Amino acid sequence: MFGKINEKARETFFLETGLHIAGNKEIAIENCDRIEECSDVFMSFVSKNLLVQIWGNNLRAFDFKTSGLIIRGRISQIELIERSAKHEKSASGKCED
């Protein structure tokens, strides 16, 4: 029962992961918790219930603030992996240009 209440609260307060894709050049991710891996060909991010993996060329991360992130470059593939509540969090990653 708590799981259903928690899910409804997340929807009500817009805490779900949001992805906005502009062609294959840009993706905006809302409610991103942390960056797991960051390079010019692969990026991995953790959100509330998803692991988001992005492959491409010349990938760059911008505006990692207020739980949002913008990725620019030539995006070739996006994979969404559902995370369980029991999934352990790993050490926080950083992306530096």
Side-chain angles (χ1 to χ4, degrees):
M1 180 164 174
F2 179 72
K4 288 183 180 182
I5 294 170
N6 187 23
E7 183 177 327
K8 193 64 171 173
R10 290 169 58 104
E11 291 173 7
T12 302
F13 295 110
F14 303 104
L15 298 176
E16 290 294 323
T17 303
L19 301 173
H20 304 279
I21 302 169
N24 69 336
K25 303 289 184 201
E26 182 177 282
I27 183 168
I29 303 168
E30 296 174 353
N31 297 320
C32 178
D33 290 341
R34 71 181 179 276
I35 299 170
E36 287 283 308
E37 190 172 336
C38 184
S39 74
D40 64 336
V41 295
F42 175 76
M43 294 192 180
S44 178
F45 313 96
V46 174
S47 67
K48 304 298 180 203
N49 60 347
L50 289 175
L51 173 65
V52 180
Q53 296 181 332
I54 301 170
W55 287 266
N57 294 314
N58 300 319
L59 299 177
R60 298 283 181 256
F62 297 93
D63 296 333
F64 187 62
K65 55 186 174 185
T66 64
S67 297
L69 181 66
I70 296 174
I71 304 301
R72 292 188 181 122
R74 187 170 178 206
I75 299 167
S76 60
Q77 184 177 344
I78 301 168
E79 184 174 2
L80 306 174
I81 302 168
E82 190 171 0
R83 300 175 66 226
S84 67
K86 296 178 183 177
H87 185 79
E88 290 185 29
K89 291 184 178 182
S90 63
S92 179
K94 294 183 180 179
C95 180
E96 300 180 54
D97 284 332

